[in-house]
Amino acid sequence: MSTRTFRVTVRGVFDGLGADQRAELLARSSEHDVLHAAFTPEGHLSYDLAARPAFTFRFQDSGEAEEDILEATERAEAAAEAWLTERGYGYKNLRSKAEDLSQAPLGKRQRRAAAQGG
């Protein structure tokens, strides 16, 4: 059985941030810029607090079977919640979306390569 790669996106909104917390997030915003967003095993956080209080965590996980995506989603949500809670950041409206890359449609170049046999 082959290993499947999952991408899990966990979105939410910061809630009830104090002035110090907001200043800390703004000071570290270059580390969490959406232009540097990546799907990583430990999760990558991105936000633009100056524009709106929303945030996105991007996680990469894997599994053997299609149903493993549910456990990957649960792990991603738990990791996002733990990260926020450990730092004392309030949040709300947490929601997740997961994608099994083995089921993702091929892009134009990938279709062309597959048609050419390589």
Side-chain angles (χ1 to χ4, degrees), residues 61-107:
D61 204 335
S62 61
E64 297 292 325
E66 188 174 341
E67 50 275 358
D68 291 342
I69 197 167
L70 298 174
E71 291 177 13
T73 302
E74 289 174 4
R75 284 191 297 270
E77 289 177 0
E81 288 176 350
W83 191 95
L84 293 161
T85 302
E86 286 170 8
R87 288 155 181 81
Y89 298 140
Y91 60 91
K92 62 182 180 180
N93 302 335
L94 211 58
R95 60 201 181 283
S96 302
K97 179 181 173 187
E99 177 182 25
D100 180 344
L101 294 185
S102 71
Q103 303 295 317
L106 296 177

Side-chain angles (χ1 to χ4, degrees), residues 4 6 11 17-18 21 27 35 39 41 45-46 52 55 59 67 74 92 106 108-109 111:
R4 295 169 178 258
F6 307 126
R11 299 178 191 277
L17 295 176
Q21 291 173 315
L35 296 176
F39 287 90
L45 171 64
S46 61
R52 63 178 189 249
F55 59 81
F59 293 91
E67 50 275 358
E74 289 174 4
K92 62 182 180 180
L106 296 177
K108 190 175 187 178
R109 288 183 187 163
R111 286 193 305 270

